[in-house]
Structures are given as structure tokens and as C-alpha cells.
Amino acid sequence: MEKRFKLTVQEVLDKQFNIDFKGYSSHEVDEFLDLVISDYQEYDEMIEGLGKRLQEYEQANMALKVKIVELEGKNGNIEEQTQGNLDILKRLTRLENEVFRK
């Protein structure tokens, strides 16, 4: 599966900021980045889980398609057998009618 995010968890973890005279509080930045990292980890896990579920559903879908083809084939055979049985019954009926008319 293709990644759409520009940063990985490791890149966020490794990011270093330069300290300026009027810079941000490094403690606040670290806390915020910890939240970002936590979200990224959760997104990665969620995407991986969804990818696995998608594969399972695709496999189940393929199995159902195969089953449909199989059942349609059986249905065609049943229809052919039924038609054959109807032809036999019609012939028998004609023969019975001819025999009993005599």
C-alpha cells in the first residue's frame, strides 16, 4: 500500500530544532511532538489493519464469485435435466394416448 504521509514516526522522533533567543519552549514542542508521534503510530496500525481486512474481504469476494459460477453451472445442468425429463414425459404421454386409443 502506498504511503501518503510526508513524515514517518522515526522522522518525527529524530527531528531536532535550533534554539533561538526568542524560540519556543522545548518542553512544549516535545509534548506536542509526542502527541503527533502517537497519532502517527495509531494511523500506521490502523492502515495496516485495514489493509489486512481489505485483503481478507477481497479473498472472500473471490471465493464467493467462484461459488456463484459453480452454482450457475449446476443450475444449468438441472435445467437441462428438467428439460430432458419433460421431453421424456411428453413422449410417454403420447405413447400412452396412442396405446389407449387403440
Side-chain angles (χ1 to χ4, degrees):
M1 187 180 307
E2 162 188 344
K3 288 219 174 209
R4 296 182 180 172
F5 301 110
K6 293 180 173 75
L7 298 173
T8 65
V9 172
Q10 194 60 44
E11 288 172 330
V12 175
L13 278 170
D14 294 340
K15 179 65 179 167
Q16 296 290 320
F17 293 95
N18 296 326
I19 299 175
D20 281 343
F21 176 67
K22 292 184 178 183
Y24 295 107
S25 165
S26 62
H27 179 68
E28 288 180 19
V29 171
D30 285 344
E31 283 181 359
F32 180 75
L33 288 178
D34 286 344
L35 290 173
V36 171
I37 290 167
S38 174
D39 280 350
Y40 263 83
Q41 288 171 332
E42 191 171 332
Y43 287 137
D44 281 346
E45 291 170 7
M46 184 175 24
I47 288 171
E48 185 178 333
L50 290 172
K52 287 178 182 177
R53 286 179 56 194
L54 177 62
Q55 287 178 343
E56 291 170 4
Y57 288 136
E58 286 174 343
Q59 289 173 352
N61 189 25
M62 186 58 66
L64 289 173
K65 285 180 180 180
V66 168
K67 189 69 173 175
I68 287 171
V69 169
E70 178 184 321
L71 291 173
E72 285 175 344
K74 286 182 180 179
N75 187 32
N77 290 340
I78 291 171
E79 288 176 0
E80 289 173 8
Q81 289 174 353
T82 303
Q83 185 61 40
N85 290 342
L86 285 174
D87 290 341
I88 291 171
L89 287 173
K90 286 179 185 177
R91 290 179 190 167
L92 284 173
T93 303
R94 264 189 264 130
L95 286 172
E96 287 175 349
N97 287 338
E98 287 180 18
V99 168
F100 290 118
R101 284 185 191 172
K102 291 184 180 180

